[in-house]
Amino acid sequence: MRVPDATRTLRAGFLASAERFPQRPALEVDGETVSYAALRDRAASLAATLAKHDAGEAAAPLTAVFGQRSSCVFAGVLASLLRGHGYVPLNPGFPVDRTRQMLERSGCRALIVDAHGLRHLEDVVRDFPVSLLLLLPDEDDVSDLAKSLPQHTLLGRDALLPAAAWESAPVDEDAVAYLLFTSGSTGIPKGVKVAHRNVVAFVDAMVERYQIDENDRFSQTFDLTFDLSVFDMFVAWERGACLCVPTQAQKMLPQKYVEQSHLTIWFSVPSTGVLMKRLRMLKPGLYPSLRFSLFCGEALPVEVVEAFAAAAPASTVENLYGPTELTIACTLYRWDPERSPAECELGVVPIGDPYPGMEVLVVDEELREVAPGETGELLMTGPQLTPGYLDDPEKTAAAFVVPPGRECTFYRTGDRVRRSDGAAPMVYLGRVDNQIKIQGYRVELGEIESVVREEAGVDVAIALGWPRTGAGSAEGVVAFVQAGDLDTTGIQERARARLPNYMAPREVRCLAELPLNPNGKVDRKALLEILAAAKA
Ligand code: AMP
């Protein structure tokens, strides 16, 4: 793998591919095929319009993109970058208040909105504290909406400037390329700023490792609010490949989608593989077109890899590992059917070796390096280390640390790992805290607890991942509150209105006394045993 070229920014690869392969498909979405030239022109037109109307240098150098699975949102992501901004994805599937909070905190003054985003737009921006520029490139007539949102500037398709009006201005490689919000343990999502320099290092490593070229066809299984989507878009566009975006309905039928789209690169969370296995979509030899089958985002069960490797016999299977703060993925492990089964632990695949230039440190609670072969928390540093959280020096200082005896900053992943000094790969053993993965999404149980506490009006609420699906992963959430009798259905409904679907408790239970462990803390294990006993 090549050492990253430090002078590029995220849009450079796409622009170079648009020069080299103007007529090749950059994007297939919802029955529409968009060529590189057409996608560049749409993005350039939006970028020129943004530059004319957004608040110029006074605003945060970020533009929000509100939508999903449409050519408009992908053009919007690129438009933000051509404007010289970072992009902030907003998810129409999230509760309106959460989206509004993210928009407010990001400091964005402009939003690019597709038809999905449009359905929720009024609720998100009505009475917003500042005036916004709202670009609706798929709408011919925005006059009615403009009347009901007089505080904002709305521009439809007719008001967009031509692509030729776009003027390229240089972008600093330390500027933010995208801002993503992840679950926060104190109840407020954390904004992770990812710089161009970070993501260029990642993309360079990936195109080189997988030898991507213009004949490749990438899956796109992730929402744009999940950083793994950055791999799909920018690794594909770096080398002129095509991004094949399934509609929400096609996403439910992955077998048909892989076959009909002739995918060569598959990338999903392991949960999708689990689902495919359960639905018998991993029969041997089913996916001959795949060159690589890649998984990331949560512990990868051995059975999923074995079944996927058989279903895609021409593909190499890899397990990628990494938190958003270290830019998408920062270690990886190649599956070898002969050697790997003996290297797995707790039924999950090892997370392997660091990306080029990334350094691993396994530490104890005092952040001192543990001896090889001992378990500890994984810390990492290198070109993919992001600059920290948006407007939150306290959380940044807690997670981005200089360990004793070291000179540079490392990110504390909160993941428990073991690395030996021999040939054995690094293995993932779970979390040191209460973060879990639900269907691949990162969830701080503390964030759910703070919502349930407020909605139930109680002092103590405990959320647990349940049913458990593996090391640190679960299918959903169950919450316990310390109380006699409460309207648990009402609590559940109000919590659902405030949290994304995957975080909303499936059940809220009252217990007059929550069990305590010898340290006087709520005994989560005992609560899990209550759930397990109820299931048995
Ligand atoms: P996110 O920031 O949403 O990408 O979540 C990052 C967290 O997901 C990591 O800190 C791990 O706990 C978990 N994770 C990601 N990839 C893997 C993997 N391959 N194996 C085990 N856990 C993983």
Side-chain angles (χ1 to χ4, degrees):
M1 291 201 253
R2 194 158 50 95
V3 173
D5 170 356
T7 59
R8 286 181 303 121
T9 65
L10 190 52
R11 67 192 192 188
F14 172 81
L15 289 173
S17 292
E19 285 295 309
R20 252 185 101 190
F21 308 107
Q23 297 317 322
R24 286 198 67 88
L27 179 65
E28 278 182 17
V29 56
D30 212 2
E32 188 187 356
T33 301
V34 189
S35 69
Y36 270 89
L39 187 58
R40 179 194 49 203
D41 287 353
R42 276 160 86 164
S45 153
L46 287 166
T49 314
L50 283 171
K52 182 172 173 204
H53 296 276
D54 66 20
E57 300 312 312
L62 296 169
T63 292
V65 182
F66 189 27
Q68 62 183 9
R69 307 194 171 273
S70 66
S71 55
C72 176
V73 283
F74 293 102
V77 164
L78 287 164
S80 313
L81 298 172
L82 297 196
R83 165 69 183 100
H85 285 181
Y87 73 92
V88 184
L90 298 176
N91 193 331
F94 282 5
V96 164
D97 284 345
R98 192 180 180 88
T99 298
R100 189 184 158 95
Q101 220 187 71
M102 290 174 182
L103 181 62
E104 214 173 314
R105 287 182 46 208
S106 71
C108 288
R109 291 289 177 273
L111 266 91
I112 300 169
V113 187
D114 78 356
H116 303 283
L118 184 58
R119 281 185 219 128
H120 309 276
L121 184 63
E122 282 194 76
D123 292 336
V124 172
V125 302
R126 191 181 293 117
D127 304 325
F128 203 71
V130 292
S131 174
L132 299 166
L133 170 66
L134 305 172
L135 294 194
L136 304 162
D138 287 346
E139 302 306 307
D140 288 322
D141 183 4
V142 296
S143 53
D144 280 350
L145 191 59
K147 271 185 219 138
S148 69
L149 296 171
Q151 163 203 12
H152 305 303
T153 305
L154 278 82
L155 301 177
R157 197 194 317 260
D158 293 349
L160 300 183
L161 295 184
W166 174 59
E167 284 174 29
S168 176
V171 176
D172 190 337
E173 66 205 31
D174 287 319
V176 175
Y178 57 89
L179 172 74
L180 291 183
F181 287 88
T182 68
S183 180
S185 56
T186 50
I188 301 169
K190 294 182 285 203
V192 183
K193 298 185 287 187
V194 180
H196 287 278
R197 177 197 291 285
N198 303 139
V199 65
V200 163
F202 170 81
V203 170
D204 278 354
M206 294 284 82
V207 290
E208 200 71 13
R209 181 171 181 91
Y210 302 130
Q211 292 294 298
I212 302 303
D213 70 23
E214 69 277 16
N215 298 309
D216 276 312
R217 297 174 59 80
F218 280 63
S219 65
Q220 210 282 298
T221 62
F222 307 104
D223 287 345
L224 297 191
T225 36
F226 197 168
D227 70 337
L228 302 182
S229 62
V230 176
F231 170 97
D232 304 335
M233 292 185 275
F234 290 97
V235 176
W237 292 339
E238 183 75 21
R239 292 282 169 92
C242 182
L243 186 68
C244 304
V245 185
T247 57
Q248 212 55 274
Q250 288 168 324
K251 229 182 109 180
M252 300 295 137
L253 298 168
Q255 177 177 340
K256 231 174 167 181
Y257 161 58
V258 180
E259 288 170 342
Q260 290 180 346
S261 305
H262 305 291
L263 297 182
T264 62
I265 311 282
W266 172 263
F267 190 34
S268 76
V269 286
S271 286
T272 306
V274 171
L275 185 79
M276 288 169 82
K277 186 164 183 287
R278 199 184 295 156
L279 298 177
R280 301 187 193 287
M281 290 182 184
L282 294 182
K283 296 201 188 95
L286 212 50
Y287 307 123
S289 64
L290 289 177
R291 294 202 303 120
F292 282 97
S293 305
L294 309 175
F295 296 93
C296 187
E298 61 187 331
L300 176 59
V302 175
E303 319 85 75
V304 170
V305 176
E306 285 177 334
F308 218 100
S315 79
T316 303
V317 185
E318 292 203 335
N319 182 23
L320 278 52
Y321 156 89
T324 309
E325 289 87 337
L326 291 166
T327 316
I328 307 155
C330 50
T331 75
L332 47 73
Y333 176 83
R334 181 163 291 188
W335 177 258
D336 174 335
E338 305 289 318
R339 193 196 67 234
S340 297
E343 293 183 341
C344 294
E345 199 147 328
L346 304 176
V348 299
V349 178
I351 57 173
D353 300 314
Y355 276 42
M358 296 299 290
E359 191 187 334
V360 163
L361 192 64
V362 182
V363 299
D364 62 16
E365 282 172 9
E366 270 80 52
L367 303 183
R368 297 193 186 276
E369 189 166 15
V370 300
E374 276 182 27
T375 299
E377 181 182 352
L378 173 63
L379 271 55
M380 286 186 74
T381 192
Q384 294 176 220
L385 178 79
T386 57
Y389 301 115
L390 176 76
D391 298 333
D392 202 335
E394 223 170 90
K395 284 208 180 89
T396 301
F400 294 78
V401 297
V402 180
R406 301 277 166 158
E407 273 165 16
C408 63
T409 303
F410 284 68
Y411 174 68
R412 295 187 69 166
T413 65
D415 290 313
R416 285 178 52 238
V417 300
R418 192 177 60 242
R419 196 154 86 131
S420 74
D421 54 358
M426 182 159 66
V427 290
Y428 173 81
L429 300 167
R431 294 285 306 173
V432 299
D433 57 14
N434 288 328
Q435 182 181 299
I436 61 165
K437 283 286 176 144
I438 298 182
Q439 300 151 38
Y441 293 102
R442 169 167 160 180
V443 171
E444 288 286 356
L445 291 169
E447 185 175 353
I448 301 173
E449 287 163 2
S450 96
V451 168
V452 172
R453 244 187 346 256
E454 281 174 33
E455 296 304 338
V458 297
D459 292 337
V460 188
I462 298 292
L464 300 167
W466 187 261
R468 310 248 270 190
T469 48
S473 308
E475 242 174 72
V477 170
V478 172
F480 285 87
V481 290
Q482 179 147 306
D485 229 9
L486 288 177
D487 168 19
T488 50
T489 319
I491 298 168
Q492 222 177 313
E493 269 168 23
R494 292 193 298 278
R496 180 169 303 133
R498 291 178 55 186
L499 294 165
N501 275 342
Y502 57 88
M503 288 174 81
R506 295 174 171 199
E507 195 189 339
V508 176
R509 292 190 182 198
C510 294
L511 276 187
E513 287 299 327
L514 292 175
L516 301 181
N517 68 18
N519 300 331
K521 291 211 271 186
V522 175
D523 190 341
R524 290 172 179 269
K525 249 173 133 182
L527 290 174
L528 284 169
E529 279 160 19
I530 293 178
L531 291 171
K535 198 176 158 217

